[in-house]
Amino acid sequence: MINREWHLLSRPVGWPKPEDFALVEAEVPTPGAGQVLVRNKYLSVDPYMRGRMSAAKSYTAPFELGKVMQGGAVGEVVESNAEGIAVGDHVLHFFGWREYAVVRAESAVKVDADAAPLSTYLGVLGMTGLTAYAGLLRTASFKEGDSVFVSGAAGAVGSQVGQIAKLKGASRVIGSAGSDEKVKLLVEEYGFDAAFNYKSGKVSDQLREAAPDGVDIYFDNVGGDHLEAAIGSLNQGGRIAVCGMISVYNNTEAAPGPRNLARLIQTRGRIEGFLVGDHYDLQPEFVSEVGPWVASGDLKYRETVVEGIENNLEAFLGVLRGDNTGKMIVKL
């Protein structure tokens, strides 16, 4: 049996190039005591993976050169040497970018394939969903009546942030996206009050038009001109939760910071970065609240599905380009 897996060959400078990676054939590994062998069915590709391709010190270790990369995955257990996990069980784990993975039992989370589609455990009911939930409710301290601006709003995290804000009683939710089609999706399907295409004009001008009374919360997935615009429209006591800054991930030189940070003094505003890994204590609350919204259709989600392990890299590059609507998933 052959196990195909993606290796990082060299650290990308600027935009990642195909020659920085290789799809390698290896033997299917054998699980040891306390381990299970999982045949992956769905793999996750996410913007944060770009940071792990660099050697720069960060909140998590970089990918090792010449070795298989990692990422969220969900699959079926095909061999088990662990108590409590049986052959045929489905588990969520962190050994993606490959077809088969050996996983320690304590690192595998059993999921119910009958309760929800397996792919949702990588998105709306998984890490991206919890990121939206924790960032909005805990980091940004959302309260009923807040006006919320979300960048990258058609993505897996952003789309859920906006919908949770509406379900929790936001007075107004505004989103930015990179195409007119995505803008239409935000308003007509996800229930945003307003949205704009950031490619169609200056972000600060479009935000002021969409939110004439300012914003109380900005959920940042983009950085750059979006962050500066949000600071310019922030109301007194406003909060900014920094989840990601995809606009600068492939820069080869340091990006200039917002030029209007002094406005935070006037507004008594707050900017706070966060990582979902610091908020896993919210997981039970998140599932109990968001799960029924998903089941009832009150919270809608989209997935962009790419078929085949051979297309895993292209799916990842597509996330960096903004090709996806909702969560980008690779189906094996």
Side-chain angles (χ1 to χ4, degrees):
M1 294 174 64
I2 298 298
N3 186 26
R4 291 182 294 172
E5 53 188 39
W6 280 96
H7 289 202
L8 181 65
L9 300 184
S10 57
R11 303 208 180 276
V13 177
W15 274 86
K17 302 179 294 295
E19 52 266 34
D20 294 324
F21 308 85
L23 182 59
V24 175
E25 290 188 351
E27 291 185 3
V28 173
T30 301
Q35 296 179 328
V36 297
L37 176 64
V38 181
R39 178 169 61 86
N40 288 331
K41 291 191 171 184
Y42 294 94
L43 307 178
S44 178
V45 286
D46 302 280
Y48 79 86
M49 294 174 175
R50 177 61 184 87
R52 296 197 66 189
M53 294 172 188
S54 300
K57 186 176 180 180
S58 185
Y59 59 88
T60 188
F63 293 134
E64 294 185 59
L65 293 179
K67 294 188 178 181
V68 62
M69 294 182 289
Q70 299 172 340
V74 64
E76 181 180 357
V77 175
V78 294
E79 188 175 345
S80 176
N81 290 323
E83 291 185 12
I85 302 180
V87 171
D89 284 345
H90 292 93
V91 296
L92 175 69
H93 61 89
F94 204 68
F95 295 93
W97 289 83
R98 69 199 82 185
E99 292 177 306
Y100 289 85
V102 164
V103 183
R104 298 190 310 274
E106 60 267 26
S107 300
V109 178
K110 288 203 289 186
V111 296
D112 188 349
D114 295 324
L118 284 175
S119 60
T120 62
Y121 294 105
L122 296 175
V124 67
L125 294 177
M127 185 179 72
T128 53
L130 181 59
T131 300
Y133 191 85
L136 177 68
L137 301 184
R138 177 176 281 174
T139 305
S141 304
F142 173 87
K143 61 182 182 298
E144 186 176 353
D146 278 340
S147 173
V148 179
F149 171 44
V150 188
S151 59
V157 174
S159 60
Q160 205 155 341
V161 170
Q163 291 184 82
I164 292 173
K166 289 294 290 185
L167 289 164
K168 286 283 194 177
S171 61
R172 188 167 178 80
V173 174
I174 305 100
S176 72
S179 72
D180 293 340
E181 181 182 7
K182 290 180 179 180
V183 167
K184 184 178 180 182
L185 172 71
L186 292 177
V187 175
E188 295 185 359
E189 185 169 332
Y190 293 157
F192 282 57
D193 296 290
F196 60 85
N197 182 346
Y198 66 84
K199 298 177 182 177
S200 297
K202 193 174 180 180
V203 174
S204 56
D205 292 342
Q206 294 192 82
L207 178 57
R208 278 194 294 270
E209 182 178 350
D213 296 323
V215 297
D216 301 302
I217 288 175
Y218 170 48
F219 193 102
D220 190 16
N221 291 305
V222 174
D225 55 355
H226 281 74
L227 178 55
E228 186 170 291
I231 293 172
S233 287
L234 202 64
N235 290 332
Q236 185 166 320
R239 291 87 69 201
I240 296 174
V242 181
C243 177
M245 292 192 174
I246 197 169
S247 69
V248 302
Y249 286 169
N250 295 305
N251 287 4
T252 56
E253 297 181 2
R259 296 165 296 180
N260 57 349
L261 284 174
R263 194 167 187 280
L264 294 175
I265 303 170
Q266 304 162 22
T267 62
R268 291 76 154 175
R270 169 169 61 87
I271 300 180
E272 183 177 346
F274 75 99
L275 296 173
V276 66
D278 296 332
H279 301 281
Y280 281 127
D281 61 297
L282 289 177
Q283 180 75 22
E285 175 187 326
F286 160 69
V287 172
S288 66
E289 185 164 27
V290 175
W293 286 340
V294 174
S296 67
D298 289 333
L299 194 152
K300 300 173 175 60
Y301 68 95
R302 290 280 190 98
E303 294 175 340
T304 300
V305 180
V306 173
E307 299 267 354
I309 185 72
E310 64 276 8
N311 294 314
N312 211 91
L313 175 59
E314 181 56 29
F316 167 70
L317 296 176
V319 170
L320 298 183
R321 291 190 300 261
D323 294 349
N324 56 302
T325 298
K327 184 74 182 77
M328 181 74 88
I329 300 284
V330 178
K331 181 180 181 182
L332 305 188

